[in-house]
Amino acid sequence: VFFSPGRSIPEFGPGFLSLAAVAVIETLDRLPGFKGKAGIKWVNDILVEGSKVAGFLVHTQSTGSLVHGLIIGLGLNVETAPVVDTDPFVPKTAALKHLSSEASGVTRNKILPILIERICQNYRLMLEAGAATLINIYRSRSVVVGRNVKVMSDPLVPGEPGETVASGVVESIGDHLELIMKDRDGPVTRGRLILPE
């Protein structure tokens, strides 16, 4: 999805990440048998029953707080789960159709209009009211708050392990989507999160 706001938007980084996550969560809440089941794994994965069903990336072109362009790239496993090499960051993937007892209500044709409507509605909300509401919804649907996690750096060489950035219990998610962890000085702002089963 591409938007060109051409205006100043405070806190657009965490706001647009939250916009994408919340749009997927709200879409899944409208599907038969999924209300309240989806959660957000920091920072950009959507899980249902511990399996990754969606992920997204957000890219902005900006000058200071003036946002020229916004691209949201989003993948949602509707009818099939991708074949991926599992790792500690993504131990399981699943398709919505296989997680639903009402598979006839879980098709791309039924989901896409809902998803587009939620993205557009949340974009309007972001422009009119700012990021706070979307960030609060993001927090409320987090699957990491209160959990013991490990955050790793992105490896410099693909396939090699990164270094541990932080480990411990996540107390909260800050206003910039940073992780506030128990007994750690300073927030965690980057890295890949491992959520132990």
Side-chain angles (χ1 to χ4, degrees):
V1 179
F2 175 75
F3 294 107
S4 53
R7 58 183 276 188
S8 181
I9 303 174
E11 308 300 338
F12 66 82
F16 287 137
L17 274 170
S18 297
L19 182 159
V22 170
V24 176
I25 292 289
E26 291 173 337
T27 298
L28 298 184
D29 280 350
R30 292 184 180 188
L31 300 180
F34 283 97
K35 181 139 181 88
K37 289 187 175 181
I40 303 165
K41 177 181 168 270
W42 186 83
V43 63
N44 60 347
D45 289 342
I46 306 297
L47 306 182
V48 174
E49 297 177 6
S51 294
K52 181 176 177 177
V53 297
F56 56 89
L57 296 172
V58 175
H59 178 74
T60 55
Q61 182 185 30
S62 62
T63 306
S65 66
L66 175 64
V67 180
H68 306 288
L70 161 71
I71 298 172
I72 299 172
L74 193 148
L76 179 60
N77 306 337
V78 178
E79 297 182 27
T80 59
V83 177
V84 297
D85 293 331
T86 59
D87 60 28
F89 307 107
V90 183
K92 297 187 289 186
T93 61
L96 298 175
K97 191 169 190 171
H98 301 128
L99 294 172
S100 174
S101 59
E102 301 179 45
S104 63
V106 183
T107 66
R108 287 176 291 180
N109 290 340
K110 291 186 179 182
I111 292 173
L112 186 59
I114 300 169
L115 180 60
I116 291 172
E117 184 269 332
R118 294 317 309 153
I119 290 171
C120 291
Q121 182 64 34
N122 289 338
Y123 177 70
R124 285 190 291 275
L125 175 64
M126 178 82 181
L127 294 182
E128 293 167 7
T133 299
L134 294 169
I135 291 171
N136 285 334
I137 297 170
Y138 182 105
R139 283 186 186 111
S140 73
R141 295 300 287 267
S142 170
V143 298
V144 303
V145 174
R147 303 273 302 271
N148 191 42
V149 304
K150 183 186 281 189
V151 180
M152 305 293 291
S153 66
D154 282 324
L156 296 175
V157 178
E160 290 188 9
E163 296 181 9
T164 301
V165 173
S167 62
V169 175
V170 177
E171 288 188 329
S172 64
I173 295 176
D175 290 340
H176 296 95
L177 301 186
E178 70 274 24
L179 296 179
I180 312 299
M181 299 183 70
K182 185 175 181 180
D183 301 325
R184 184 180 195 277
D185 291 333
V188 177
T189 60
R190 294 177 172 262
R192 299 189 68 197
L193 187 137
I194 299 172
L195 189 61
E197 294 196 37

